[in-house]
Every structure is written in structure tokens, then in C-alpha cells.
Amino acid sequence: MELMMIDVTNMLFLLMVGLYMVLLGMILAYVYFDARQRGLNGWLIAGMTFFTGTIAGALAWLLLRPKLKPQPIPVKR
């Protein structure tokens, strides 16, 4: 019985897929939390970003997102 050898090409492919998945997760997490902070449904915006192509959807979100309303800072006297 011969052991299966892992080629360099297979390792590079798996590394690239893993890197893509990590970057995808980071982009979608940023879009989700940014949308929540701006008062919108984070799941809806992250889903739209994912299904429009992650890079194009993230760029569209960055260009079309609503302005962040300033939050008052409580001051103790």
C-alpha cells in the first residue's frame, strides 16, 4: 500500500483557498458590523455583499453607506 504524497501544487491550492476563505470572512464581518453600527440590518447587507461578488459588493457598500450619526458622550459632573 502506497502512501499518498501531498504535492506542492496541492498545498499551494489549499493555502490559496484557505486564504480566500479568511479574507472573505474578514470582509463580510466588517460589512456586517459597520451596517449594524449605522442602524441597518447587518445580515441583509452582508448577504447582499456576498451575492454581488465580495469585492464589488464591499466597494458598493463603502460608497453608498449612510453617514454615521455622532453619538453623544456622557459627561459626569
Side-chain angles (χ1 to χ4, degrees):
M1 190 165 138
E2 186 175 327
L3 293 175
M4 184 175 151
M5 297 295 292
I6 297 178
D7 295 345
V8 173
T9 54
N10 288 342
M11 285 300 270
L12 286 175
F13 176 74
L14 291 176
L15 180 69
M16 294 303 289
V17 168
L19 182 63
Y20 173 76
M21 296 299 281
V22 167
L23 290 174
L24 177 68
M26 290 173 63
I27 290 170
L28 291 176
Y30 171 77
V31 168
Y32 171 80
F33 287 113
D34 190 48
R36 292 282 312 253
Q37 187 177 17
R38 293 170 191 275
L40 298 172
N41 185 349
W43 287 110
L44 178 66
I45 302 298
M48 288 172 35
T49 301
F50 178 76
F51 286 113
T52 58
T54 305
I55 300 297
L59 288 175
W61 170 249
L62 289 175
L63 293 173
L64 302 174
R65 64 186 177 173
K67 296 215 182 280
L68 188 60
K69 296 175 184 151
Q71 299 292 327
I73 299 173
V75 178
K76 292 183 182 179
R77 292 187 176 191

